[in-house]
Amino acid sequence: MNTDIWKIIAIAKQEKHQYLYLNYKNLRKFPHELLKDDGLHHLEHLYMKMNLLTTLPENLGQRLPNLIELYLHSNNIEFIPEAIASLIKLQSLDLSNNALVILCPEIGQLKSLRHLRLANNRLKFLPAEIGELRGLQTLDVSANCLTALPESLHLCISMQYLAADQNHLKDLPRQLCLLPNLKELSVMSNNLKCLPQDLGQYPELQCVYVDNNSQLYGLPSYLYHKVTGHRGCGSSIQDEEVKLSFTQGQVTITLPDEIQGIGTENDPVPTLQEIVMRAIYSFFRISEKGLDLLSPISLPRNLYKLLFYPLGHCHHCSKPMFTIVYPKCYPLMETPMAVLHNRKTKVSFVAYCCSIECLQLFDLLS
């Protein structure tokens, strides 16, 4: 450790600094003096940007028990030790621009965490335990290698800002629609084919950015009149793996995998399976114990899961839908956003209804 760093740490110990800046110091490992004895128990904010660190020390939580903010932007950190859980007061963790391949499940034990930034790493998945971060407000996992987001994210009930740009996402979990405080969602430059039908149902979500998703032709009508970025969506590229879609006008909309059928005027009655699902849902919702009373073996696994998290709600009457929808497109040119995206995208807003009657009564422009 060079003399300059030693002096900085020594002064911080002597004067009981709450902030310590060790940015741009060419550090390959945490300075020994930083973890020696109890001299830095008072430290709350540690900044170590643009160094050469490859991991975090196991005793970090023991030596810096009052750490609130840990800023490690632009290092070479490949993994986070399980001991990260000992930073029980940590509120902000920035590991952007590192070499992370795996995020350890122990991250879920940081109950005080408010801001987690993991952009520009090599993450292929996020642990389900991330849903245990009930106080998390900001999550940025942009520029990684993610093919999916964990369904447990909907348990992060304090989430306000979620960014997952530049990954390999093909869809988003329906459960994201349940985040009551989500204000901004950014999933630009992915492989999205469709969006959850209820996305935008909560008024708190005002900004959704899905730009540069070339196979995305449909936006839920709940996003109408909200700030929606969709430049570069709906290009002429077609995916041969599209399982279920419907065409209206010149636009072909891909539907979520859970949808098993599309209702039409020639087939106005939902399937028996759909009617039964709606009846079960309504009955158990009004019972004292709710859906928890159901046994997992009472229905096929995929249907049992749908009962807890319907694939959407009717845009007219708000009734839940499970396996069938009645969709209708509203061309982008009819919306206030048309001028901004004229001839730059092929996207329509889509209303999803539970019946022909609701579809005929619903009008996006009214």
Side-chain angles (χ1 to χ4, degrees):
M1 183 173 65
N2 63 48
T3 305
D4 178 50
I5 297 175
W6 184 88
K7 288 182 179 179
I8 292 174
I9 297 176
I11 293 174
K13 286 183 177 181
Q14 183 178 359
E15 299 181 1
K16 297 184 178 180
H17 289 178
Q18 293 182 338
Y19 291 78
L20 181 59
Y21 298 90
L22 295 176
N23 301 321
Y24 304 95
K25 299 298 182 182
N26 203 33
L27 294 170
R28 295 182 178 276
K29 61 181 180 179
F30 268 68
H32 176 69
E33 287 296 320
L34 195 61
L35 304 171
K36 185 179 178 181
D37 57 54
D38 299 332
L40 281 170
H41 270 206
H42 49 273
L43 190 66
E44 295 182 353
H45 305 267
L46 177 58
Y47 302 91
M48 303 184 74
K49 179 181 179 179
M50 287 294 292
N51 283 289
L52 301 171
L53 303 175
T54 57
T55 187
L56 305 179
E58 294 282 350
N59 61 344
L60 185 61
Q62 298 173 354
R63 297 306 183 188
L64 304 177
N66 293 308
L67 208 58
I68 294 176
E69 180 180 11
L70 182 56
Y71 188 72
L72 297 166
H73 195 290
S74 300
N75 278 275
N76 294 324
I77 297 175
E78 298 178 354
F79 70 96
I80 304 173
E82 298 176 0
I84 189 73
S86 60
L87 292 171
I88 58 175
K89 295 185 178 181
L90 195 65
Q91 296 182 17
S92 179
L93 176 60
D94 194 326
L95 285 160
S96 303
N97 285 57
N98 275 278
L100 288 175
V101 177
I102 295 177
L103 185 64
C104 63
E106 286 72 21
I107 196 75
Q109 298 180 34
L110 298 178
K111 304 303 183 182
S112 299
L113 201 60
R114 299 292 179 267
H115 308 285
L116 178 59
R117 295 180 173 88
L118 303 167
N120 199 15
N121 278 281
R122 304 171 188 171
L123 295 171
K124 295 184 178 180
F125 67 93
L126 298 177
E129 287 77 6
I130 202 167
E132 298 173 13
L133 301 176
R134 302 293 193 269
L136 193 65
Q137 299 173 7
T138 303
L139 176 62
D140 188 354
V141 290
S142 300
N144 277 280
C145 305
L146 301 173
T147 56
L149 295 177
E151 296 178 355
S152 61
L153 274 181
H154 80 280
L155 298 174
C156 300
I157 57 175
S158 301
M159 185 84 71
Q160 297 180 17
Y161 174 80
L162 173 58
D165 305 322
Q166 300 179 51
N167 279 282
H168 308 299
L169 304 176
K170 292 185 178 180
D171 53 31
L172 299 177
R174 300 185 313 277
Q175 290 85 342
L176 285 185
C177 302
L178 301 177
L179 290 173
N181 298 299
L182 188 63
K183 297 179 179 179
E184 183 172 328
L185 172 65
S186 186
V187 284
M188 299 186 292
S189 301
N190 277 280
N191 301 320
L192 294 174
K193 302 175 185 176
C194 56
L195 296 176
Q197 298 177 45
D198 284 345
L199 190 64
Q201 187 178 31
Y202 282 131
E204 285 75 10
L205 183 59
Q206 288 296 317
C207 301
V208 176
Y209 303 102
V210 292
D211 306 73
N212 299 318
N213 282 279
S214 61
Q215 299 177 65
L216 182 63
Y217 286 80
L219 302 174
S221 64
Y222 286 123
L223 298 181
Y224 190 72
H225 283 316
K226 297 190 177 185
V227 178
T228 309
H230 40 72
R231 183 188 297 266
C233 290
S235 74
S236 58
I237 298 175
Q238 295 293 332
D239 190 339
E240 297 179 357
E241 297 181 359
V242 171
K243 296 181 180 179
L244 186 63
S245 64
F246 77 97
T247 301
Q248 187 164 333
Q250 297 181 346
V251 178
T252 299
I253 309 296
T254 303
L255 298 179
D257 291 341
E258 295 92 348
I259 297 178
Q260 299 176 13
I262 302 172
T264 67
E265 293 185 3
N266 298 325
D267 182 24
V269 181
T271 63
L272 179 60
Q273 175 177 275
E274 178 69 16
I275 294 174
V276 170
M277 290 283 286
R278 294 178 187 180
I280 293 174
Y281 182 88
S282 299
F283 174 79
F284 281 99
R285 277 294 179 183
I286 62 176
S287 68
E288 183 176 349
K289 293 186 178 181
L291 294 172
D292 293 335
L293 195 63
L294 272 175
S295 167
I297 63 173
S298 58
L299 285 171
R301 184 173 180 180
N302 62 325
L303 296 181
Y304 178 79
K305 187 175 181 180
L306 271 176
L307 272 177
F308 287 87
Y309 306 108
L311 62 86
H313 290 77
C314 178
H315 287 194
H316 177 68
C317 71
S318 297
K319 290 182 180 178
M321 300 175 292
F322 299 93
T323 63
I324 187 172
V325 296
Y326 293 79
K328 181 179 180 181
C329 281
Y330 291 86
L332 189 62
M333 65 181 182
E334 298 179 8
T335 74
M337 298 297 291
V339 176
L340 297 178
H341 299 280
N342 186 30
R343 296 183 180 179
K344 296 176 182 177
T345 190
K346 297 180 181 179
V347 173
S348 292
F349 286 97
V350 186
Y352 299 96
C353 295
C354 66
S355 65
I356 287 295
E357 181 181 3
C358 282
L359 193 65
Q360 292 172 344
L361 292 174
F362 181 77
D363 187 358
L364 179 61
L365 305 179
S366 62

